[in-house]
Short mmCIF file of all heavy atoms in Angstrom, two decimals:
data_model
loop_
_atom_site.label_atom_id
_atom_site.label_comp_id
_atom_site.label_asym_id
_atom_site.label_seq_id
_atom_site.Cartn_x
_atom_site.Cartn_y
_atom_site.Cartn_z
N GLU A 154 -36.33 10.75 -4.55
CA GLU A 154 -36.15 9.31 -4.38
C GLU A 154 -37.58 8.58 -4.47
O GLU A 154 -37.60 7.42 -5.03
CB GLU A 154 -35.47 9.03 -3.06
CG GLU A 154 -34.02 9.46 -3.05
CD GLU A 154 -33.43 9.30 -1.74
OE1 GLU A 154 -34.11 9.42 -0.66
OE2 GLU A 154 -32.15 9.14 -1.66
N LEU A 155 -38.55 9.16 -3.86
CA LEU A 155 -39.87 8.48 -4.02
C LEU A 155 -40.31 8.45 -5.39
O LEU A 155 -40.98 7.48 -5.82
CB LEU A 155 -40.84 9.21 -3.13
CG LEU A 155 -40.76 9.08 -1.66
CD1 LEU A 155 -41.78 9.99 -0.83
CD2 LEU A 155 -40.89 7.63 -1.27
N ALA A 156 -40.09 9.42 -6.25
CA ALA A 156 -40.53 9.46 -7.64
C ALA A 156 -39.78 8.43 -8.46
O ALA A 156 -40.34 7.85 -9.39
CB ALA A 156 -40.25 10.86 -8.24
N ARG A 157 -38.52 8.10 -8.11
CA ARG A 157 -37.75 7.22 -8.88
C ARG A 157 -38.02 5.74 -8.39
O ARG A 157 -37.55 4.82 -9.02
CB ARG A 157 -36.26 7.49 -8.75
CG ARG A 157 -35.84 8.70 -9.45
CD ARG A 157 -34.29 8.74 -9.53
NE ARG A 157 -33.66 8.73 -8.23
CZ ARG A 157 -33.36 9.86 -7.55
NH1 ARG A 157 -33.60 11.02 -7.96
NH2 ARG A 157 -32.80 9.76 -6.36
N ALA A 158 -38.78 5.47 -7.35
CA ALA A 158 -39.03 4.19 -6.84
C ALA A 158 -39.87 3.38 -7.81
O ALA A 158 -40.80 3.95 -8.39
CB ALA A 158 -39.61 4.22 -5.47
N GLU A 159 -39.65 2.06 -7.92
CA GLU A 159 -40.43 1.15 -8.82
C GLU A 159 -41.18 0.13 -7.95
O GLU A 159 -40.56 -0.38 -6.96
CB GLU A 159 -39.54 0.43 -9.83
CG GLU A 159 -38.92 1.36 -10.84
CD GLU A 159 -38.15 0.65 -11.80
OE1 GLU A 159 -38.01 -0.68 -11.69
OE2 GLU A 159 -37.50 1.31 -12.73
N PRO A 160 -42.44 -0.18 -8.25
CA PRO A 160 -43.12 -1.16 -7.43
C PRO A 160 -42.54 -2.51 -7.66
O PRO A 160 -42.02 -2.91 -8.74
CB PRO A 160 -44.54 -1.04 -7.91
CG PRO A 160 -44.42 -0.56 -9.38
CD PRO A 160 -43.21 0.37 -9.33
N LEU A 161 -42.64 -3.39 -6.58
CA LEU A 161 -42.20 -4.80 -6.69
C LEU A 161 -43.21 -5.61 -7.53
O LEU A 161 -44.44 -5.24 -7.57
CB LEU A 161 -42.12 -5.37 -5.27
CG LEU A 161 -40.92 -4.81 -4.41
CD1 LEU A 161 -41.01 -5.42 -3.02
CD2 LEU A 161 -39.62 -5.06 -5.03
N PRO A 162 -42.75 -6.74 -8.16
CA PRO A 162 -43.79 -7.58 -8.92
C PRO A 162 -44.78 -8.17 -7.99
O PRO A 162 -44.59 -8.38 -6.86
CB PRO A 162 -42.87 -8.69 -9.48
CG PRO A 162 -41.48 -8.12 -9.46
CD PRO A 162 -41.40 -7.26 -8.26
N ARG A 163 -46.02 -8.25 -8.53
CA ARG A 163 -47.12 -8.81 -7.79
C ARG A 163 -46.83 -10.35 -7.43
O ARG A 163 -46.30 -10.99 -8.25
CB ARG A 163 -48.41 -8.74 -8.61
CG ARG A 163 -48.89 -7.29 -8.77
CD ARG A 163 -50.33 -7.24 -9.25
NE ARG A 163 -50.46 -8.07 -10.50
CZ ARG A 163 -51.65 -8.29 -10.99
NH1 ARG A 163 -52.80 -7.93 -10.39
NH2 ARG A 163 -51.81 -9.04 -12.05
N GLN A 164 -47.26 -10.70 -6.31
CA GLN A 164 -47.08 -12.09 -5.89
C GLN A 164 -48.34 -12.76 -5.61
O GLN A 164 -49.31 -12.10 -5.25
CB GLN A 164 -46.17 -12.17 -4.60
CG GLN A 164 -44.77 -11.60 -4.94
CD GLN A 164 -43.83 -11.76 -3.62
OE1 GLN A 164 -44.40 -12.01 -2.58
NE2 GLN A 164 -42.61 -11.54 -3.77
N ARG A 165 -48.33 -14.07 -5.75
CA ARG A 165 -49.53 -14.88 -5.44
C ARG A 165 -49.57 -14.99 -3.89
O ARG A 165 -48.58 -15.01 -3.19
CB ARG A 165 -49.43 -16.25 -5.98
CG ARG A 165 -49.55 -16.31 -7.47
CD ARG A 165 -49.40 -17.79 -7.97
NE ARG A 165 -50.39 -18.69 -7.34
CZ ARG A 165 -50.12 -19.94 -7.17
NH1 ARG A 165 -49.01 -20.49 -7.53
NH2 ARG A 165 -51.02 -20.70 -6.62
N PRO A 166 -50.77 -15.05 -3.32
CA PRO A 166 -50.80 -15.24 -1.89
C PRO A 166 -50.26 -16.60 -1.51
O PRO A 166 -50.33 -17.56 -2.19
CB PRO A 166 -52.33 -15.20 -1.60
CG PRO A 166 -53.00 -15.60 -2.84
CD PRO A 166 -52.08 -14.98 -3.95
N VAL A 167 -49.67 -16.62 -0.32
CA VAL A 167 -49.03 -17.89 0.18
C VAL A 167 -50.15 -18.84 0.54
O VAL A 167 -51.09 -18.57 1.19
CB VAL A 167 -48.17 -17.56 1.46
CG1 VAL A 167 -47.55 -18.84 2.00
CG2 VAL A 167 -47.08 -16.61 1.07
N GLN A 168 -50.05 -20.05 -0.09
CA GLN A 168 -50.99 -21.13 0.15
C GLN A 168 -50.57 -21.97 1.39
O GLN A 168 -49.42 -21.97 1.75
CB GLN A 168 -51.12 -22.13 -1.12
CG GLN A 168 -51.49 -21.39 -2.34
CD GLN A 168 -52.96 -20.90 -2.21
OE1 GLN A 168 -53.76 -21.53 -1.55
NE2 GLN A 168 -53.21 -19.83 -2.96
N PRO A 169 -51.60 -22.53 2.01
CA PRO A 169 -51.20 -23.43 3.22
C PRO A 169 -50.25 -24.48 2.80
O PRO A 169 -50.33 -25.13 1.84
CB PRO A 169 -52.51 -24.08 3.63
CG PRO A 169 -53.59 -23.13 3.00
CD PRO A 169 -53.01 -22.61 1.75
N GLY A 170 -49.13 -24.53 3.59
CA GLY A 170 -48.05 -25.53 3.43
C GLY A 170 -46.92 -24.97 2.58
O GLY A 170 -45.89 -25.59 2.44
N TRP A 171 -47.05 -23.75 1.94
CA TRP A 171 -45.97 -23.26 1.20
C TRP A 171 -45.12 -22.38 2.11
O TRP A 171 -45.66 -21.60 2.97
CB TRP A 171 -46.54 -22.30 0.07
CG TRP A 171 -47.12 -23.09 -1.09
CD1 TRP A 171 -47.48 -24.45 -1.05
CD2 TRP A 171 -47.49 -22.58 -2.37
NE1 TRP A 171 -47.98 -24.76 -2.22
CE2 TRP A 171 -48.06 -23.70 -3.02
CE3 TRP A 171 -47.43 -21.34 -2.93
CZ2 TRP A 171 -48.48 -23.55 -4.37
CZ3 TRP A 171 -47.88 -21.24 -4.27
CH2 TRP A 171 -48.39 -22.32 -4.90
N THR A 172 -43.89 -22.35 1.91
CA THR A 172 -42.90 -21.52 2.70
C THR A 172 -42.91 -20.08 2.12
O THR A 172 -42.64 -19.12 2.88
CB THR A 172 -41.53 -22.07 2.66
OG1 THR A 172 -41.12 -22.22 1.29
CG2 THR A 172 -41.55 -23.52 3.32
N SER A 173 -43.23 -19.88 0.85
CA SER A 173 -43.23 -18.55 0.27
C SER A 173 -44.12 -18.63 -0.95
O SER A 173 -44.31 -19.63 -1.54
CB SER A 173 -41.86 -18.05 -0.04
OG SER A 173 -41.26 -18.94 -0.95
N ALA A 174 -44.59 -17.52 -1.43
CA ALA A 174 -45.44 -17.42 -2.59
C ALA A 174 -44.53 -17.37 -3.81
O ALA A 174 -43.69 -16.46 -3.95
CB ALA A 174 -46.32 -16.23 -2.56
N PRO A 175 -44.71 -18.26 -4.79
CA PRO A 175 -43.85 -18.19 -6.04
C PRO A 175 -44.32 -17.00 -6.87
O PRO A 175 -45.52 -16.86 -7.26
CB PRO A 175 -44.24 -19.47 -6.80
CG PRO A 175 -45.60 -19.90 -6.31
CD PRO A 175 -45.64 -19.42 -4.83
N ALA A 176 -43.33 -16.11 -7.18
CA ALA A 176 -43.66 -14.88 -7.94
C ALA A 176 -43.62 -15.17 -9.31
O ALA A 176 -42.78 -15.87 -9.87
CB ALA A 176 -42.60 -13.85 -7.59
N VAL A 177 -44.63 -14.62 -10.13
CA VAL A 177 -44.70 -14.78 -11.58
C VAL A 177 -44.57 -13.38 -12.16
O VAL A 177 -45.22 -12.46 -11.83
CB VAL A 177 -46.04 -15.41 -11.95
CG1 VAL A 177 -46.14 -15.64 -13.44
CG2 VAL A 177 -46.27 -16.66 -11.12
N SER A 178 -43.74 -13.37 -13.17
CA SER A 178 -43.60 -12.11 -13.91
C SER A 178 -44.60 -12.04 -14.99
O SER A 178 -45.26 -13.01 -15.42
CB SER A 178 -42.19 -12.06 -14.48
OG SER A 178 -42.05 -13.02 -15.55
N PHE A 179 -44.76 -10.80 -15.54
CA PHE A 179 -45.74 -10.63 -16.66
C PHE A 179 -45.31 -11.34 -17.96
O PHE A 179 -46.13 -11.34 -18.83
CB PHE A 179 -45.98 -9.07 -16.84
CG PHE A 179 -46.66 -8.43 -15.76
CD1 PHE A 179 -45.95 -7.73 -14.79
CD2 PHE A 179 -48.00 -8.57 -15.53
CE1 PHE A 179 -46.55 -7.13 -13.75
CE2 PHE A 179 -48.63 -7.98 -14.44
CZ PHE A 179 -47.91 -7.20 -13.57
N GLY A 180 -44.08 -11.73 -18.04
CA GLY A 180 -43.65 -12.48 -19.26
C GLY A 180 -44.04 -13.87 -19.32
O GLY A 180 -43.67 -14.61 -20.23
N GLY A 181 -44.81 -14.35 -18.31
CA GLY A 181 -45.30 -15.73 -18.30
C GLY A 181 -44.26 -16.76 -17.82
O GLY A 181 -44.38 -17.95 -17.96
N GLU A 182 -43.18 -16.31 -17.15
CA GLU A 182 -42.12 -17.16 -16.62
C GLU A 182 -42.03 -16.98 -15.09
O GLU A 182 -42.25 -15.92 -14.59
CB GLU A 182 -40.79 -16.92 -17.28
CG GLU A 182 -40.70 -17.14 -18.74
CD GLU A 182 -39.29 -16.91 -19.29
OE1 GLU A 182 -38.45 -16.43 -18.46
OE2 GLU A 182 -39.02 -17.27 -20.47
N PHE A 183 -41.77 -17.98 -14.41
CA PHE A 183 -41.56 -17.94 -13.01
C PHE A 183 -40.18 -17.29 -12.76
O PHE A 183 -39.29 -17.37 -13.62
CB PHE A 183 -41.65 -19.33 -12.33
CG PHE A 183 -43.04 -19.76 -12.13
CD1 PHE A 183 -43.69 -20.47 -13.19
CD2 PHE A 183 -43.72 -19.55 -11.03
CE1 PHE A 183 -45.01 -20.92 -13.02
CE2 PHE A 183 -45.05 -19.99 -10.85
CZ PHE A 183 -45.65 -20.60 -11.90
N GLN A 184 -39.98 -16.76 -11.55
CA GLN A 184 -38.70 -16.27 -11.25
C GLN A 184 -37.59 -17.31 -11.23
O GLN A 184 -36.45 -17.02 -11.48
CB GLN A 184 -38.73 -15.57 -9.88
CG GLN A 184 -39.60 -14.29 -9.85
CD GLN A 184 -39.61 -13.61 -8.49
OE1 GLN A 184 -39.10 -14.21 -7.47
NE2 GLN A 184 -40.19 -12.41 -8.45
N ASN A 185 -38.08 -18.63 -10.92
CA ASN A 185 -36.98 -19.61 -10.93
C ASN A 185 -36.82 -20.23 -12.31
O ASN A 185 -35.95 -21.19 -12.45
CB ASN A 185 -37.47 -20.77 -9.93
CG ASN A 185 -37.43 -20.29 -8.58
OD1 ASN A 185 -36.76 -19.35 -8.16
ND2 ASN A 185 -38.27 -20.93 -7.70
N GLY A 186 -37.50 -19.84 -13.37
CA GLY A 186 -37.33 -20.40 -14.70
C GLY A 186 -38.55 -20.47 -15.43
O GLY A 186 -39.63 -20.12 -14.97
N PRO A 187 -38.52 -20.83 -16.74
CA PRO A 187 -39.77 -20.87 -17.66
C PRO A 187 -40.63 -22.04 -17.29
O PRO A 187 -40.27 -23.01 -16.65
CB PRO A 187 -39.14 -21.08 -18.95
CG PRO A 187 -37.85 -21.80 -18.77
CD PRO A 187 -37.32 -21.27 -17.49
N VAL A 188 -41.99 -21.92 -17.67
CA VAL A 188 -42.88 -23.00 -17.47
C VAL A 188 -42.58 -24.18 -18.57
O VAL A 188 -42.34 -23.91 -19.72
CB VAL A 188 -44.37 -22.46 -17.80
CG1 VAL A 188 -45.35 -23.57 -17.69
CG2 VAL A 188 -44.61 -21.28 -16.86
N ARG A 189 -42.52 -25.38 -18.00
CA ARG A 189 -42.06 -26.51 -18.81
C ARG A 189 -43.15 -27.51 -18.98
O ARG A 189 -44.06 -27.65 -18.13
CB ARG A 189 -40.81 -27.11 -18.19
CG ARG A 189 -39.60 -26.18 -18.14
CD ARG A 189 -38.43 -26.86 -17.54
NE ARG A 189 -37.25 -25.98 -17.48
CZ ARG A 189 -36.12 -26.34 -16.97
NH1 ARG A 189 -35.92 -27.47 -16.47
NH2 ARG A 189 -35.09 -25.42 -16.98
N TRP A 190 -43.07 -28.41 -20.04
CA TRP A 190 -44.00 -29.47 -20.18
C TRP A 190 -43.62 -30.61 -19.22
O TRP A 190 -42.53 -30.93 -19.03
CB TRP A 190 -43.93 -29.99 -21.59
CG TRP A 190 -44.58 -29.10 -22.60
CD1 TRP A 190 -43.94 -28.16 -23.33
CD2 TRP A 190 -45.96 -29.02 -22.92
NE1 TRP A 190 -44.87 -27.48 -24.14
CE2 TRP A 190 -46.10 -27.96 -23.87
CE3 TRP A 190 -47.08 -29.71 -22.46
CZ2 TRP A 190 -47.35 -27.68 -24.42
CZ3 TRP A 190 -48.28 -29.39 -23.01
CH2 TRP A 190 -48.42 -28.35 -24.00
N SER A 191 -44.69 -31.24 -18.73
CA SER A 191 -44.54 -32.44 -17.89
C SER A 191 -44.17 -33.67 -18.74
O SER A 191 -45.01 -34.05 -19.56
CB SER A 191 -45.84 -32.70 -17.11
OG SER A 191 -45.74 -33.89 -16.30
N ARG A 192 -43.01 -34.24 -18.42
CA ARG A 192 -42.69 -35.48 -19.13
C ARG A 192 -43.54 -36.62 -18.86
O ARG A 192 -43.87 -37.45 -19.78
CB ARG A 192 -41.20 -35.82 -18.82
CG ARG A 192 -40.13 -34.75 -19.28
CD ARG A 192 -38.73 -35.21 -18.97
NE ARG A 192 -37.76 -34.19 -19.40
CZ ARG A 192 -36.49 -34.34 -19.20
NH1 ARG A 192 -35.96 -35.43 -18.52
NH2 ARG A 192 -35.59 -33.36 -19.69
N LEU A 193 -44.06 -36.71 -17.62
CA LEU A 193 -44.95 -37.79 -17.27
C LEU A 193 -46.25 -37.74 -18.06
O LEU A 193 -46.83 -38.71 -18.53
CB LEU A 193 -45.25 -37.78 -15.82
CG LEU A 193 -44.12 -38.30 -14.90
CD1 LEU A 193 -44.50 -38.11 -13.47
CD2 LEU A 193 -43.83 -39.77 -15.19
#
């Protein structure tokens, strides 16, 4: 079972004022969705 275990994705350290660290995958997308252009 230990041999079959996979490591969790790396996470950014939690910044002051954040409730959790936003995890980024190696594909360049956030776990909550792709990086988007700012309309403003």
Side-chain angles (χ1 to χ4, degrees):
E154 290 174 333
L155 287 175
R157 290 193 302 268
E159 295 182 359
L161 293 174
R163 292 192 306 171
Q164 295 184 348
R165 293 176 58 208
V167 178
Q168 300 294 331
W171 288 12
T172 57
S173 63
V177 184
S178 68
F179 292 100
E182 296 182 355
F183 283 87
Q184 291 181 351
N185 294 335
V188 179
R189 298 180 179 179
W190 286 96
S191 171
R192 294 182 179 179
L193 284 175

